[in-house]
Amino acid sequence: MGVVINPFIVSGRIPEDYFCDRVEESAQLEKSLTNQLNVVLTSSRRMGKTSLVDFVFNKPAISDEYITIFVDILQTTTFREFIFSLGTAVFDAVASRSEKWRKQFVTFMKSLSGSFGYDPIQNTPTFDVRLGDIQLPEYTLREIFQYLESVDKRCLVVIDEFQQITRYPEKNVEEILRTHIQKLSNANFVFSGSRRRLMEEMFFSAKRPFYQSAKPLRLEAINQDVYFDFAQSHFQQAGKDISKEAFTYVYETFWGVTLYVQRLMKDAYIDTLPGTTCDIDMVKRLTDNYIRENDSHLREQLSFVTEAQKELLYAIHAEGQVQSITSSAFNRKHRLRSPSSTQSAALKLLEYDLITRKEKTYSLSDPLMDLWLSRR
């Protein structure tokens, strides 16, 4: 008996049969990249940016003709760490493909020449570079890009959570990257980010180096009816069913956020026996279980914020959406300390991605956090 695949995949690459919708978005991304355009890809977190990129990169028009490189910089805090992450990703995705490209990489990376290891069995260099080995970050960056120019196959580079570079202590990172990237003729970039406001400032403000350097592509929630049809069809293929009411509850409870909807559908698919229907009682129980499962993680998130920041977070949660967080009425209603203290707390909560701001309206960023607070 073969392995039974749960069609609601929440990690790793998603095969086409289990990939829900994103028809227009994937077509736009593929068209842009195959026509040598850089793309700035934005959405809230957990909406499926990485899955979309993986899906498009797995298409023959991309996978057969390009080398794809993925760099996640969310955990980086300095320009040196960025260079280290980029260099590691380029070595793994490009240099490791052949002995020729490995030796070519070492030749170009003169600033790190003393840091490479050597595999005596394969007779090839190995990437044993440590963060402390990068003494001249901008010079090393130039070498990495020069190497990409030398490769005899076009490269596509995804930099995930690109807004992170605005938090580095170095003040000229945007200028440095833009200067080098605009000179490349053998590579295009996907700048992916989950902090919409920061990403829009970086790419659509005339005062910033990356102004109008990439085509915008915004991921919104998958259409609810399309998502229900997708979910129900996979239930029915297994001799099961799911009610529209049950799916609507999950979709609306989790604000249509792809990761959460997928996870609840995955759990519902497991618990629904052949010949039966997943109803609203089942998904409510599974939602409660999921909140309890994440209790310690959510508590840990709040352990890093101050009392004043918690007070504001709870106030925004109570309101749902707030337009004037510094207004006297809002501060009095929720017994906040002062408008200036509220403003400072909001800046930190935005930085921690616990709240979001859209067109001057503040709300919680994460539906799971919102649910968890509601049940406390």
Side-chain angles (χ1 to χ4, degrees), residues 144-162:
I144 292 171
F145 284 153
Q146 286 173 344
Y147 172 69
L148 291 179
E149 283 289 273
S150 75
V151 175
D152 53 8
K153 198 169 187 180
R154 194 169 186 87
C155 300
L156 299 177
V157 184
V158 181
I159 306 180
D160 196 23
E161 301 300 346
F162 187 66

Side-chain angles (χ1 to χ4, degrees), residues 287-295 298 368 371-372 375:
T287 297
D288 290 340
N289 291 343
Y290 189 53
I291 294 169
R292 284 194 294 271
E293 176 185 322
N294 285 276
D295 181 77
L298 293 165
L368 185 59
L371 286 168
W372 181 72
R375 282 160 168 72

Side-chain angles (χ1 to χ4, degrees), residues 73-91:
I73 65 168
L74 180 61
Q75 303 303 321
T76 62
T77 57
T78 66
F79 189 37
R80 278 208 308 167
E81 285 188 78
F82 174 89
I83 302 300
F84 179 77
S85 297
L86 177 63
T88 302
V90 169
F91 185 86

Side-chain angles (χ1 to χ4, degrees), residues 119-137:
D119 185 341
I121 297 176
Q122 299 292 331
N123 193 32
T124 56
T126 58
F127 193 75
D128 288 340
V129 176
R130 299 292 181 265
L131 183 60
D133 296 328
I134 301 173
Q135 298 298 320
L136 301 169

Side-chain angles (χ1 to χ4, degrees), residues 258-322:
T258 309
L259 175 62
Y260 294 141
V261 176
Q262 283 287 99
R263 172 58 196 273
L264 267 293
M265 288 298 99
K266 190 179 196 72
D267 292 347
Y269 186 87
I270 294 168
D271 282 11
T272 305
L273 298 175
T276 65
T277 298
C278 171
D279 59 16
I280 193 166
D281 290 334
M282 178 185 287
V283 294
K284 284 183 176 180
R285 173 176 57 81
L286 293 171
T287 297
D288 290 340
N289 291 343
Y290 189 53
I291 294 169
R292 284 194 294 271
E293 176 185 322
N294 285 276
D295 181 77
S296 61
H297 164 66
L298 293 165
R299 287 180 185 277
E300 185 178 355
Q301 276 190 284
L302 291 190
S303 70
F304 293 99
V305 302
T306 66
E307 185 176 282
Q309 292 159 12
K310 286 191 182 79
E311 290 172 349
L312 176 59
L313 182 71
Y314 299 154
I316 294 173
H317 167 257
E319 295 289 336
Q321 293 185 334
V322 183

